[in-house]
Amino acid sequence: GIQVEQSPPDLILQEGANSTLRCNFSDSVNNLQWFHQNPWGQLINLFYIPSGTKQNGRLSATTVATERYSLLYISSSQTTDSGVYFCAVERTAGGTSYGKLTFGQGTILTVHP
Amino acid sequence: EAQVTQNPRYLITVTGKKLTVTCSQNMNHEYMSWYRQDPGLGLRQIYYSMNVEVTDKGDVPEGYKVSRKEKRNFPLILESPSPNQTSLYFCASSRGGAGYGYTFGSGTRLTVV
């Protein structure tokens, strides 16, 4: 199956700092999502980004599908950004889903005031 | 509001007492699935369904049952829960296929004593 590796595993920042999280995947994928798991355990969808670049406020993401990686940028970090960030990928065949997301192990982000 | 609703959010039960975790989506999605999240093991798929009356095993199906009698609902059944099923459970749904991401429920934290 597809392997998904995220780096770094842990990241500690001061409020206001910028950061880049990386997701590498072992095979071609058709779907890629970034999630934020907040301290209450909820998985919040940040981006659906199988290719290209998207921005949403202080967050942006870029996926280079041909090189099998995706990056999540967090600018001017805030304490509320703390939590675990997951990358998840899915393969499809002929436009049909196999019905499964494969998750990386996550990056634990801690933002100090 | 488009969402995936799981109930209950928290549940403590005893070994062997049958329980059902409900999942409902209001987006008319074809695909639904269940994941469990455990420390050190990440998120793993339990079961998935690509349409009504169509279900299939994920990576860790042992000890679980599912049914998909109607499109919007996908309950997870633990007929005889054991302590090793203590976990954080997520239901997810998608339109399916390339071009569509997954929406996750808020999670159910289950403790089996």
Side-chain angles (χ1 to χ4, degrees), chain A residues 41-78:
Chain A
Q42 294 174 307
L43 276 174
I44 310 300
N45 181 41
L46 297 177
F47 293 103
Y48 171 77
I49 187 166
S51 63
T53 297
K54 289 186 179 180
Q55 179 153 9
N56 184 4
R58 296 181 295 103
L59 273 58
S60 64
T62 295
T63 297
V64 183
T66 53
E67 297 188 23
R68 299 180 186 169
Y69 73 89
S70 182
L71 302 173
L72 178 69
Y73 306 97
I74 305 174
S75 64
S76 304
S77 57
Q78 301 175 357

Side-chain angles (χ1 to χ4, degrees), chain A residues 30-31 33 35 37 39-43 45 48 50 86 90 92 95-105, chain B residues 9-10 31 33 35 37 40-43 45 48 50 59 88 90 96-102 104-106 109:
Chain A
N30 305 94
N31 294 337
Q33 287 181 260
F35 296 91
Q37 188 167 36
W40 295 271
Q42 294 174 307
L43 276 174
N45 181 41
Y48 171 77
F86 288 102
E90 182 188 31
T92 64
T96 300
S97 172
Y98 288 117
K100 176 182 175 181
L101 279 176
T102 300
F103 284 78
Q105 290 298 308
Chain B
R9 289 290 312 279
Y10 302 91
Y31 288 70
S33 53
Y35 294 80
Q37 184 180 19
L41 297 174
L43 284 103
Q45 191 184 55
Y48 65 99
M50 293 190 177
D59 297 321
L88 178 57
F90 289 100
Y100 301 105
Y102 286 78
F104 278 74
S106 296
R109 197 171 291 276

Side-chain angles (χ1 to χ4, degrees), chain B residues 11 13 17-21 76-81 110 112:
Chain B
L11 179 60
T13 190
K17 185 177 181 182
K18 181 179 179 179
L19 67 92
T20 299
V21 184
L76 180 69
I77 303 158
L78 285 72
E79 298 237 329
S80 183
L110 172 66
V112 184

